[in-house]
Amino acid sequence: QVQLVESGGGLVQAGGSLRLSCAASGRSFSNYAMGWFRQAPGKEREFVAAISRSGAKTAYADSVKGRFTISRDNAKNTVYLQMNSLKSEDTAVYYCAAEPTLYPQIVVVTLREYDYWGQGTQVTVSS
């Protein structure tokens, strides 16, 4: 099992940047594919970015491609989401998720495939 704690959210002006972190506790972080999702008020939770166990493979939602970067440091049991050129529509609670997988290069982009979730961190972008 793994426990996930997000941090780094806050209030930022449009065009600004934030870096979210997700610290994992428990065993064998490198055995988990990781993802970031977000949920805006009144909307369903949606996929943002995902990264494979090895970090070699990544995937992004079209809405964030070219602006957000997902990365991981397996030695620190942490996954990151660097968010640049933020827009008001990026305002949401951002959640980190983990899914154990046997395959080092698999990225998991579907919400229901993730077994473990953090509590979320609020990102607010003012226009």
Side-chain angles (χ1 to χ4, degrees), residues 81-121:
L81 185 68
Q82 177 67 44
M83 305 186 295
N84 298 329
S85 302
L86 282 161
K87 306 176 181 179
S88 57
E89 52 263 44
D90 295 318
T91 295
V93 177
Y94 283 71
Y95 297 91
C96 171
E99 175 62 18
T101 175
L102 295 175
Y103 305 103
Q105 307 301 339
I106 289 292
V107 289
V108 181
V109 302
T110 306
L111 184 151
R112 65 178 181 271
E113 293 189 60
Y114 281 95
D115 286 340
Y116 303 101
W117 293 85
Q119 83 290 347
T121 185

Side-chain angles (χ1 to χ4, degrees), residues 38-47 111:
R38 66 187 181 186
Q39 188 165 16
K43 294 188 176 182
E44 295 196 351
R45 195 171 298 189
E46 65 176 6
F47 168 73
L111 184 151

Side-chain angles (χ1 to χ4, degrees), residues 31-37 47-61 70-72 79 97-111 113-114:
N31 288 342
Y32 292 81
M34 301 296 295
W36 286 96
F37 291 76
F47 168 73
V48 175
I51 190 166
S52 63
R53 281 175 46 186
S54 67
K57 299 289 188 182
T58 59
Y60 296 92
I70 188 170
S71 62
R72 67 189 294 163
V79 63
E99 175 62 18
T101 175
L102 295 175
Y103 305 103
Q105 307 301 339
I106 289 292
V107 289
V108 181
V109 302
T110 306
L111 184 151
E113 293 189 60
Y114 281 95

